[in-house]
Amino acid sequence: MNRNITDIENSNQTERQLYFMEMCKEWAAKQQEKLGRPLTACVNTFGCQMNAHDSEKIIGILEKIGYTMIEDEKADFVIYNTCTVRENANLKVYGRLGYLKKLKSQNPHMMIALCGCMMQETAVVEKIKKSYKFVDIIFGTHNIFKLAELMQARIDSKGMIIDIWKDTAEIVEDLPSERKHKFKAGVNIMYGCNNFCTYCIVPYVRGRERSRNPKDIIREIEALVADGVVEIMLLGQNVNSYGKNLEHPVTFAQLLQEIEKIEGLERIRFMTSHPKDLSDELIAVMRDSKKICNHLHLPVQCGSSRLLKIMNRRYTKEQYLELVDKIKKAVPNISLTTDIIVGFPGETEEDFQETLDVVRKVRYESAYTFIYSKRTGTPAAKMEEQVPEDVIKDRFDRLLKEIQTISAELSGRDTGKVEKVLVEEINSQDPDFVTGRLTNNVLVHFKGSSDLIGKIANVRLAESKGFYYMGELAEEEQ
Ligand code: 5AD
Ligand code: SF4
């Protein structure tokens, strides 16, 4: 019963937004006539894959309205899709706003919109209202689908339009989206996060976990495949807890099994996995799947059980290592990557040694390493024992060295083998070569032409160059 009501509300919302897109389209057509040239737009994305995927939705709406997308910020409409996971990202946006102000003074038709995680912080919006009055529209992470409606409001008024939702249960389906690649696409399976790791601002800016209905996800992937997509990346802050809050609960492993059945789909990736929710059921599905890629991103954050507890990660070092062992046994050649934070409040040399120990034991293919950044509003920001900058820097360098040594040892281990490569593009250095990826995400360059793009080729990994291979197109299936 409930679901029916939501469905009706959703379809109303979709229609409502398509109506605003039409209105904006008429306005854009008039503008183009007045200016005697096409209207251009530029979307600048900061942050994670989730933001990159949100930007595809923004671009879908802008193209529907009639904008031509360009890379250059000297455009008629510039949108910054911001990130706030670390403070540096915020500073970068403020820095760039100064440049946009100058551009706007040269092009009075220019519109500027800011959206994304940073806009979910009240203090940020206050600062922009006060010091960056030339910004036209501010919206958040929950109402991207409203872009055309907000644009229309801006066209009708003189002032800045601000629309930030604290949270939402709403998931609007079937709006336009413009993919960056013809053959691979991101697909949201859930939004938000309930974990409240004590350093992390995401639960505050992205809201509580909401899973999409499996039917909607399958329908979207089928449509993508019909449109030429062979690889999908399932996106969520915590994909392992997918489906728990649905009216008819479904596990992530069950969802993967359904997706696996889609004919024409060749590769399935997903991120991000939280170790505490990674089930034996999922490991079995990964082991048996023909389509799930040979790669798992499993953020550890830190190796010290004492700090993991304070971080509210809800696993110990030993539990994490046991999980990794189980995964490696089930999927022997799996490539593991991770996220690590250095300098969490109170981190001692002993804690840091535990992190190094995990790195040595797991042997990650690669790792994203972050210096702890204090995010106002999170519990860790109030913790007193902040680690001195020089100590953090020293640990960060030592960690990086360890990771690089292991990556180098692992690289090249598949030399001589024939492996499947999804060809992504013409090589940027040599137009006679193409570049693609192995299922474990490693890059391969080999001689070939543009008709291979979007296809999966059998390639002999002739020579390892460290972090990539030079290959040769092999004969058909062996
Ligand atoms: N400081 C540093 N790194 C952080 N991350 C999240 N919050 C912070 C923070 N306050 C890192 C985590 C997460 C990744 C996306 O960003 O490692 O997995
Ligand atoms: Fe942040 Fe933790 Fe949620 Fe990841 S799981 S988004 S680190 S709170």
Side-chain angles (χ1 to χ4, degrees), residues 13 16-17 20 24 146-154:
Q13 185 60 272
R16 181 184 164 91
Q17 293 310 318
F20 279 112
C24 289
K146 268 185 80 180
L147 174 58
E149 183 173 348
L150 299 176
M151 247 185 97
Q152 188 59 46
R154 179 66 189 91

Side-chain angles (χ1 to χ4, degrees), residues 300-321 340-341 344-359 364 395:
V300 65
Q301 311 297 1
C302 166
S304 147
S305 296
R306 184 187 77 84
L307 276 193
L308 284 168
K309 191 159 196 314
I310 303 174
M311 286 178 163
N312 195 29
R313 291 291 290 176
R314 285 174 276 174
Y315 53 82
T316 61
K317 175 187 177 189
E318 290 69 31
Q319 284 166 335
Y320 183 90
L321 289 175
I340 299 172
I341 298 176
F344 183 80
E347 183 189 73
T348 62
E349 179 59 27
E350 261 174 14
D351 293 320
F352 178 66
Q353 286 300 331
E354 301 274 10
T355 300
L356 286 180
D357 189 45
V358 170
V359 168
Y364 297 106
R395 287 182 192 159

Side-chain angles (χ1 to χ4, degrees), residues 43 45 48 72 126 173 208 360 409 415:
V43 178
T45 311
C48 66
D72 194 331
E126 286 309 313
E173 300 285 349
R208 294 297 65 73
R360 286 185 201 116
E409 284 166 12
T415 308

Side-chain angles (χ1 to χ4, degrees), residues 112-287:
I112 298 171
L114 303 177
C115 65
C117 294
M118 194 177 151
M119 300 306 130
Q120 293 292 139
E121 292 182 88
T122 319
V124 168
V125 175
E126 286 309 313
K127 181 166 171 160
I128 293 168
K129 263 180 13 193
K130 211 168 114 213
S131 313
Y132 301 91
K133 293 199 167 78
F134 55 93
V135 171
D136 295 285
I137 304 171
I138 303 178
F139 57 107
T141 54
H142 303 294
N143 55 350
I144 288 171
F145 65 87
K146 268 185 80 180
L147 174 58
E149 183 173 348
L150 299 176
M151 247 185 97
Q152 188 59 46
R154 179 66 189 91
I155 294 163
D156 292 339
S157 82
K158 293 263 174 294
M160 188 190 278
I161 304 291
I162 303 172
D163 191 18
I164 311 287
W165 300 3
K166 271 277 149 272
D167 208 339
T168 181
E170 192 165 19
I171 297 177
V172 182
E173 300 285 349
D174 298 328
L175 285 173
S177 173
E178 184 57 38
R179 296 199 310 277
K180 204 166 168 194
H181 300 281
K182 182 121 192 61
F183 51 87
K184 66 173 183 180
V187 174
N188 286 120
I189 62 166
M190 62 190 304
Y191 302 90
C193 181
N194 286 353
N195 288 322
F196 291 94
C197 302
T198 52
Y199 51 81
C200 184
I201 201 157
V202 167
Y204 305 91
V205 295
R206 290 257 173 194
R208 294 297 65 73
E209 272 176 25
R210 305 170 302 284
S211 295
R212 284 176 72 195
N213 270 314
K215 266 197 297 184
D216 290 329
I217 297 170
I218 302 282
R219 197 161 49 106
E220 178 178 342
I221 299 173
E222 283 172 346
L224 288 167
V225 170
D227 199 30
V229 165
V230 291
E231 176 177 305
I232 50 152
M233 169 71 93
L234 305 174
L235 293 168
Q237 302 297 345
N238 182 16
V239 291
N240 302 106
S241 68
Y242 169 80
K244 285 188 180 153
N245 301 322
L246 285 171
E247 199 188 4
H248 302 291
V250 175
T251 64
F252 180 51
Q254 287 167 337
L255 176 73
L256 281 170
Q257 282 171 305
E258 287 307 306
I259 295 174
E260 174 106 13
K261 290 182 197 152
I262 299 175
E263 223 170 287
L265 180 67
E266 305 270 0
R267 286 183 170 183
I268 305 169
R269 298 186 187 277
F270 53 83
M271 76 188 311
T272 295
S273 288
H274 193 304
K276 81 173 165 60
D277 296 314
L278 202 146
S279 64
D280 289 349
E281 186 197 13
L282 175 63
I283 297 175
V285 168
M286 289 174 70
R287 179 196 62 207

